């Protein structure tokens, strides 16, 4: 069930602050920075033969960052697709 603004005449759907576009873009930027950190960690872990056993840590971190980037990207894409369809389907 969508969150509807009960005070509005048009009953438009409101999104919470943590699901807004700005918060999604900030989340994606932070995840991209951590992904870069994880990729550097993967290269550093494979340079030294003694740290090959610990390479799973940056690999796991990189996979989790990719998952966050993918899920937030899909959320934003769906939002833009719905907005595009509602804007141009009324013509």
């Amino acid at each position: 069930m969508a969150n509807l603004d009960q005070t509005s005449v048009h009953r438009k759907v409101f999104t919470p602050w943590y699901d807004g576009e700005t918060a999604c873009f900030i989340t994606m930027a932070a995840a991209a920075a951590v992904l870069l950190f994880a990729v550097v960690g993967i290269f550093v872990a494979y340079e030294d033969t003694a740290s090959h056993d610990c390479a799973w840590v940056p690999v796991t971190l990189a996979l989790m960052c990719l998952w966050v980037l993918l899920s937030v990207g899909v959320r934003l894409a769906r939002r833009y697709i719905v907005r595009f369809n509602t804007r141009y389907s009324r013509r």
Side-chain angles (χ1 to χ4, degrees):
M1 188 76 179
N3 294 331
L4 296 178
D5 185 6
Q6 297 298 324
T7 61
S8 175
V9 175
H10 302 290
R11 303 274 193 251
K12 67 179 186 176
V13 176
F14 69 93
T15 56
W17 67 269
Y18 55 84
D19 196 25
E21 289 181 20
T22 305
C24 287
F25 286 126
I26 291 171
T27 302
M28 289 181 76
V34 174
L35 178 64
L36 179 66
F37 178 74
V39 168
V40 170
I42 291 169
F43 285 125
V44 168
Y46 280 117
E47 281 180 1
D48 187 21
T49 57
S51 62
H52 280 294
D53 294 338
C54 298
W56 65 271
V57 175
V59 169
T60 305
L61 183 63
L63 289 175
M64 289 189 297
C65 286
L66 285 172
W67 179 257
V68 168
L69 284 170
L70 181 69
S71 66
V72 173
V74 166
R75 179 182 299 162
L76 282 174
R78 284 183 185 165
R79 186 174 299 154
Y80 286 131
I81 289 170
V82 166
R83 187 179 302 163
F84 179 80
N85 287 340
T86 57
R87 181 176 295 163
Y88 294 109
S89 67
R90 294 181 185 177
R91 290 184 177 184

